[in-house]
Amino acid sequence: MNAAHLISAARDALTTRYAHERTASTLTITTTHDPASHILTYDCENVVVRHEDGTLAYIDLTNTEFAEDLDAHAEDRLAASGSLHPLTLRLGPGPVAQSAAELNVRTRLFILSVHARAAAHCPGLGGNQVLELANLAFEANDLARHDNTLPLPRIESQAHQAAAHELPFPREASAAFLTQTARLAVRTMSHNMQPCPLAIELPAGHFGDTPAWLAYQAVARYRDGATSREPRYNTPALRAVLKAIAALQTPAAGDWLRLYLTCPPANPTGRILDRDPIPESAPVHDAMPGAIITGEQVRRIADLLDANEYVVQLRTAGTWRLPHHDEPGTLTRRQVAATLRRARDRSRPGAIRFSRDTDGTVYVSDTAQAARYLPTTLIPDHRDGHCPGCHAPYATIGEGPCDLAA
């Protein structure tokens, strides 16, 4: 039983039983022992639903086709591996505007230790500066790992040292800041690896019944495509940061958190227009990254578009290309919303898919063709009225393809 089938069945069950329920972002189904057979199975009576506004609720989905599909899925998993873990399914994008998460003291100290350690690796520092930062990182980390049964000592000293070195010591943090902190952590832990990985990838899973990013299953991905399991990243500091990220953005089955050690280039140019998260030879329709946008959500797609302008790229021969110079390559938020709604209206139900990646890029594909819309804020040298590929003004370059469109 694949995740796509379970997601479809879950949506049908929600539509039938909870027609007036707020739009669900994820469902988490925990495990329980069947009272009759005493066999481990999924608990469909207490399903955790996370809504698009970030709120949580418990719902009952027993006596639905979804519950029957979960029973079959549980049997398959038990037969294949002998174990059954909680399951989180992504039904749609997370909250449009991610609020900041309040951080406990230990997480704050771990964040400080990550940033202090990363700062100590910066070039051009004197010996005393490196020693001060390294000591601060060690002390903050050691204090955060203090026995959980004991109260933490006062932390004014760490707060003063963080301010003196202009390092973050936040009481609350956004998902973007926390992800950047996790990226700094893995980059620092990878500084002596040869060859150095391109990215560290963390699968979605669960700690107990709570959705989580699994540091102990971290995979290092290299520029030649090779991968390897790396236990070095399973540290208390990274786990604390990942826990805070998961509290804001629920990890679901099949999700991966990719932490790039540098910029995430998909080819040697490293330009944002050239980066391609779609695996080689894979269809965009099946491998589009990010959170899936449902057809119903496309009706109000403007609420999911954060940027004012977007650069459009079309999928051609396995690469992303800009439109010809005589066609609009930059669209406003309103134009993108209208284009996506028209694409949905012209396609058969279920034949077209939409997704929004973590950087705000929107993907659309109906199997025959595909396009993506990148926020212009991702393109540092973008200029209005100029081709985002060759940077020449549209007014003077006439028609034809852009030589740097791929």
Side-chain angles (χ1 to χ4, degrees):
M1 189 76 63
N2 60 37
H5 179 88
L6 290 173
I7 289 170
S8 178
R11 288 173 179 158
D12 291 342
L14 287 172
T15 301
T16 302
R17 184 166 294 185
Y18 297 95
H20 303 294
E21 183 78 10
R22 287 164 292 175
T23 303
S25 171
T26 59
L27 293 182
T28 297
I29 309 98
T30 57
T31 59
T32 186
H33 281 89
D34 184 274
S37 64
H38 303 290
I39 296 175
L40 195 62
T41 186
Y42 286 112
D43 183 1
C44 295
E45 189 174 353
N46 299 288
V47 176
V48 182
V49 57
R50 181 168 188 168
H51 300 111
E52 281 192 337
D53 61 5
T55 58
L56 298 175
Y58 287 88
I59 59 175
D60 182 356
L61 292 178
T62 54
N63 301 318
T64 63
E65 290 188 13
F66 175 60
E68 295 176 3
D69 290 338
L70 280 176
D71 287 341
H73 181 67
E75 292 177 3
D76 292 343
R77 297 304 305 160
L78 288 170
S81 64
S83 61
L84 187 66
H85 302 287
L87 177 66
T88 296
L89 300 173
R90 185 175 306 286
L91 306 187
V96 175
Q98 292 284 356
S99 59
E102 186 174 350
L103 305 175
N104 59 40
V105 174
R106 284 187 172 83
T107 302
R108 294 176 63 197
L109 287 167
F110 278 133
I111 288 173
L112 175 59
S113 73
V114 168
H115 284 267
R117 194 178 305 277
H121 283 262
C122 291
L125 295 179
N128 288 338
Q129 291 174 300
V130 172
L131 185 59
E132 288 177 7
L133 289 167
N135 285 339
L136 175 57
F138 175 82
E139 292 171 1
N141 187 281
D142 187 61
L143 192 58
R145 296 176 67 171
H146 195 64
D147 188 338
N148 286 340
T149 63
L150 300 175
L152 280 166
R154 300 176 67 86
I155 57 172
E156 284 85 350
S157 173
Q158 284 70 32
H160 289 314
Q161 291 183 71
H165 291 285
E166 298 183 348
L167 296 173
F169 193 50
R171 295 181 180 274
E172 59 180 29
S174 66
F177 170 82
L178 292 166
T179 302
Q180 173 64 6
T181 299
R183 177 173 169 261
L184 284 176
V186 299
R187 188 173 70 181
T188 304
M189 286 187 276
S190 307
H191 78 280
N192 62 347
M193 292 180 66
Q194 294 296 331
C196 186
L198 171 67
I200 305 303
E201 302 178 347
L202 309 166
H206 293 81
F207 282 130
D209 293 337
T210 305
W213 298 109
L214 304 182
Y216 71 90
Q217 292 187 14
V219 174
R221 181 171 297 277
Y222 299 89
R223 293 182 181 274
D224 61 359
T227 60
S228 65
R229 292 287 293 271
E230 281 295 339
R232 71 171 65 197
Y233 302 108
N234 186 23
T235 66
L238 183 57
R239 291 198 301 268
V241 175
L242 295 175
K243 181 179 179 180
I245 296 174
L248 285 171
Q249 297 177 335
T250 305
D255 288 353
W256 286 83
L257 179 63
R258 292 180 174 85
L259 302 172
Y260 287 94
L261 274 60
T262 57
C263 292
N267 59 48
T269 69
R271 298 187 312 153
I272 186 67
L273 294 175
D274 301 327
R275 297 174 192 168
D276 189 2
I278 308 299
E280 187 176 358
S281 75
V284 177
H285 186 272
D286 298 334
M288 59 177 58
I292 296 299
I293 302 172
T294 66
E296 178 63 25
Q297 290 164 331
V298 176
R299 294 179 57 186
R300 46 188 177 82
I301 188 65
D303 294 339
L304 301 178
L305 301 176
D306 300 324
N308 293 323
E309 289 188 320
Y310 289 79
V311 169
V312 59
Q313 285 186 301
L314 310 175
R315 190 72 167 179
T316 304
T319 60
W320 294 106
R321 294 183 178 274
L322 293 166
H324 285 199
H325 285 145
D326 55 331
E327 300 174 4
T330 302
L331 302 178
T332 65
R333 178 170 171 265
R334 184 188 298 271
Q335 289 172 321
V336 172
T339 300
L340 296 177
R341 285 195 295 267
R342 284 197 300 270
R344 181 210 58 187
D345 294 340
R346 293 173 180 174
S347 300
R348 292 182 295 104
I352 191 167
R353 296 183 69 195
F354 305 84
S355 78
R356 184 184 64 178
D357 206 354
T358 53
D359 63 2
T361 300
V362 176
Y363 291 79
V364 55
S365 175
D366 63 359
T367 69
Q369 54 189 354
R372 68 176 179 179
Y373 301 85
L374 299 92
T376 55
T377 51
L378 298 177
I379 306 172
D381 50 4
H382 175 72
R383 296 171 61 191
D384 290 340
H386 290 66
C387 172
C390 62
H391 309 299
Y394 285 122
T396 61
I397 53 181
E399 303 179 356
C402 173
D403 293 336
L404 299 177

